[in-house]
Amino acid sequence: IVTTVQIRPAAPADVPDLVRIKSAVWPDQAVNIAQLEAVLQLPEHIVLVASTEGEALGYLDCFLTTSVDGVRRWEMDEIAVLPAAQGRGIGRRLVANGLQSIYGGGATYSRALIQVENIPSQRIFAHAGYRIEPATQMLLVAGPQDVDNTNLPQGLHLVPVSTLSYCGAWLEGEVTLAGLEAARQWINGNDCQLVGVLICSDDQSLLSDALLAGYEVVDSYNWWSTK
């Protein structure tokens, strides 16, 4: 572990460093600077920066969401460490500090959605006490669309989110074709960029419905949680 690393909340002046780190970790993704600046101003949203000798080496983005049954969750949404600084315990330090904010924010547990093949992140969260939920989930996303179906069916829940990468919503609950379509209409009416949904990899019927509704597969993931 690098003992000289300092962990602190990000400030507006850190935006250039966040852009630099994000671009180095995900070079194929465009960075929305306005979105970064907006997220830093949000309540119940924390961005932590890891630095040493004045140089920012990594960050963690985390925030609160509420489930359909009212349970508050501490989402560990995005963690990034400069490639040259990886393997030095910085990710572990960021997650440990992020976890300290759970109960003060009113969350009952924390969770992270981790790509199936992302072994380094899995090790970081396992070290912090997170446990994997065995069901593999397919993440699908779609942009806004003006469709006829505007009513979200009963049993579905839209979670508005604003992350370092996008403003959108997560679709949770009893997902149906009608719900998938209605979610795209909702983000269209709320000036959001995308809606995301997780579907069990074994549910081929629902996956087909999502594709029919215009969703695209991103990758395979597992939930890791402190429950």
Side-chain angles (χ1 to χ4, degrees), residues 60-170:
L60 169 67
D61 178 35
C62 38
F63 53 87
L64 282 167
T65 63
T66 304
S67 70
V68 64
D69 51 359
V71 175
R72 287 166 73 80
R73 308 162 299 197
W74 191 237
E75 310 282 357
M76 298 291 204
D77 185 65
E78 186 172 299
I79 183 169
V81 176
L82 287 173
Q86 292 175 9
R88 294 160 53 184
I90 295 171
R92 290 185 180 185
R93 293 276 299 274
L94 283 165
V95 171
N97 278 264
L99 274 172
Q100 294 176 5
S101 303
I102 290 180
Y103 300 109
T108 58
Y109 71 96
S110 176
R111 65 179 186 171
L113 187 65
I114 305 178
Q115 189 180 23
V116 168
E117 297 179 355
N118 191 344
I119 304 303
S121 282
Q122 293 174 24
R123 289 173 177 164
I124 288 171
F125 282 92
H127 183 268
Y130 287 70
R131 293 172 294 277
I132 188 172
E133 296 182 8
T136 299
Q137 306 285 341
M138 303 299 295
L139 173 63
L140 296 95
V141 299
Q145 186 178 36
D146 189 9
V147 296
D148 293 335
N149 188 356
T150 59
N151 296 317
L152 198 66
Q154 188 173 2
L156 275 178
H157 179 52
L158 269 173
V159 183
V161 292
S162 192
T163 76
L164 292 182
S165 299
Y166 64 89
C167 173
W170 299 344

Side-chain angles (χ1 to χ4, degrees), residues 4-223:
T4 57
V5 172
Q6 303 295 318
I7 309 293
R8 58 174 175 78
D14 292 306
V15 168
D17 282 328
L18 295 176
V19 172
R20 175 175 57 87
I21 296 167
K22 192 174 177 66
S23 297
V25 175
W26 297 288
D28 296 332
Q29 296 183 13
V31 179
N32 186 332
I33 296 177
Q35 181 68 15
L36 290 179
E37 293 173 338
V39 163
L40 293 181
Q41 306 300 322
L42 294 175
E44 298 187 340
H45 198 121
I46 295 175
V47 180
L48 298 175
V49 174
S51 61
T52 184
E53 298 179 353
E55 180 188 4
L57 302 176
Y59 66 81
L60 169 67
D61 178 35
C62 38
F63 53 87
L64 282 167
T65 63
T66 304
S67 70
V68 64
D69 51 359
V71 175
R72 287 166 73 80
R73 308 162 299 197
W74 191 237
E75 310 282 357
M76 298 291 204
D77 185 65
E78 186 172 299
I79 183 169
V81 176
L82 287 173
Q86 292 175 9
R88 294 160 53 184
I90 295 171
R92 290 185 180 185
R93 293 276 299 274
L94 283 165
V95 171
N97 278 264
L99 274 172
Q100 294 176 5
S101 303
I102 290 180
Y103 300 109
T108 58
Y109 71 96
S110 176
R111 65 179 186 171
L113 187 65
I114 305 178
Q115 189 180 23
V116 168
E117 297 179 355
N118 191 344
I119 304 303
S121 282
Q122 293 174 24
R123 289 173 177 164
I124 288 171
F125 282 92
H127 183 268
Y130 287 70
R131 293 172 294 277
I132 188 172
E133 296 182 8
T136 299
Q137 306 285 341
M138 303 299 295
L139 173 63
L140 296 95
V141 299
Q145 186 178 36
D146 189 9
V147 296
D148 293 335
N149 188 356
T150 59
N151 296 317
L152 198 66
Q154 188 173 2
L156 275 178
H157 179 52
L158 269 173
V159 183
V161 292
S162 192
T163 76
L164 292 182
S165 299
Y166 64 89
C167 173
W170 299 344
L171 183 62
E172 300 180 348
E174 301 173 12
V175 180
T176 61
L177 177 57
L180 291 162
E181 294 173 341
R184 296 191 68 186
Q185 172 65 33
W186 186 91
I187 61 170
N188 183 63
N190 286 274
D191 296 324
C192 295
Q193 297 161 330
L194 61 84
V195 59
V197 63
L198 291 168
I199 298 176
C200 181
S201 59
D202 294 334
D203 194 340
Q204 293 299 316
S205 176
L206 188 55
L207 285 169
S208 296
D209 283 345
L211 296 175
L212 183 63
Y215 287 68
E216 297 181 355
V217 175
V218 176
D219 214 328
S220 302
Y221 294 80
N222 290 102
W223 279 117

